[in-house]
Amino acid sequence: MNPDFDALIIGGGPAGASAAAILAEFGHRVLVIEREKFPRYHIGESLIPFTYQPLERLGLIPRMKTSCFQKKYSVLFVQPDGRASQPFYFFNRYDRETVAQTWQVLRSEFDQMLLDHARAKGAEVLEETVVKELLRDGGRVTVVGAQLKSGEVVELLAPITLDCTG
Ligand SMILES: Cc1cc2nc3c(=O)[nH]c(=O)nc-3n(C[C@H](O)[C@H](O)[C@H](O)COP(=O)(O)OP(=O)(O)OC[C@H]3O[C@@H](n4cnc5c(N)ncnc54)[C@H](O)[C@@H]3O)c2cc1C
């Protein structure tokens, strides 16, 4: 059987959307299968230094810099009894203009931006579709069974499947 896509990506969070954008940029036919409808709530909003480089690779730094996301320059740890550590300023150790820059994001908006970026690069995205089954040939996943929003179950074929379900 002919494959439907070059790669299937299960999960449209940051990992899946980033992989989809890069693969599509190289001209591969990519399908992201995401069970939720974006924008959706997700925990994990406090980005850390060195997130800069993957965002740069994706070409999203200009968009991050002009976004409404809160810029984040340091961390400070608060103990259960309320005592706070000294703040740790990232730029004391890392390059102020690049990797020391990071952001506090709203994951619903941040993840939407990444998924839309993957679409803009040419990836297809199926939202509200849940992967239910992985069929293997030897050790390799060759067919992905997914349930569409309508309830219909479809089988998708690709030589590569990435599990980006978090
Ligand atoms: C309590 C907590 C606090 C955290 N705080 C931070 C923080 O402050 N800063 C930080 O950087 N990170 C934080 N993290 C980690 C951060 O949330 C993850 O690193 C990040 O979300 C991983 O991205 P991902 O794309 O791999 O997975 P996810 O963002 O989880 O995306 C996976 C996607 O796959 C979809 N999916 C799952 N199963 C299926 C299926 N069967 N079919 C189709 N789609 C499916 C989901 O709907 C989801 O959209 C925190 C995590 C937790 C649990």
Side-chain angles (χ1 to χ4, degrees):
M1 278 195 282
N2 287 329
D4 302 300
F5 292 90
D6 297 330
L8 297 173
I9 298 182
I10 311 170
S18 300
I22 301 293
L23 286 167
E25 196 175 274
F26 276 96
H28 297 296
R29 294 171 305 151
V30 184
L31 177 68
V32 180
I33 308 161
E34 167 56 54
R35 72 178 166 199
E36 307 281 347
K37 172 78 186 146
F38 278 31
R40 53 96 176 88
Y41 170 80
H42 202 296
I43 191 95
E45 54 289 329
S46 190
L47 302 187
I48 55 171
F50 290 94
T51 311
Y52 191 93
Q53 285 156 334
L55 288 168
E56 188 176 42
R57 172 65 187 86
L58 289 164
L60 289 171
I61 291 296
R63 208 168 316 165
M64 290 302 288
K65 284 188 170 174
T66 55
S67 73
C68 294
F69 297 137
Q70 177 70 49
K71 291 187 177 66
K72 179 179 154 186
Y73 299 103
S74 66
V75 284
L76 177 151
F77 297 98
V78 181
Q79 296 184 23
D81 65 8
R83 280 183 298 147
S85 71
Q86 289 294 314
F88 172 74
Y89 290 98
F90 306 137
F91 50 74
N92 283 339
R93 179 161 303 195
Y94 306 123
D95 178 33
R96 184 186 282 265
E97 298 305 319
T98 57
V99 295
Q101 292 187 29
T102 196
W103 292 267
Q104 188 78 18
V105 301
L106 194 59
R107 280 289 302 270
S108 51
E109 289 178 14
F110 180 69
D111 289 15
Q112 177 85 67
M113 178 189 78
L114 292 175
L115 198 56
D116 286 345
H117 183 65
R119 282 190 178 98
K121 292 281 178 183
E124 285 184 44
V125 181
L126 259 183
E127 291 179 272
E128 297 176 277
T129 301
V130 188
V131 169
K132 297 276 192 185
E133 196 176 17
L134 302 176
L135 302 179
R136 290 180 171 82
D137 181 6
R140 201 163 124 223
V141 172
T142 49
V143 180
V144 169
Q147 187 168 32
L148 307 176
K149 186 184 176 190
S150 64
E152 183 192 351
V153 175
V154 293
E155 290 197 337
L156 298 154
L157 273 70
I160 296 173
T161 298
L162 304 187
D163 179 355
C164 297
T165 54

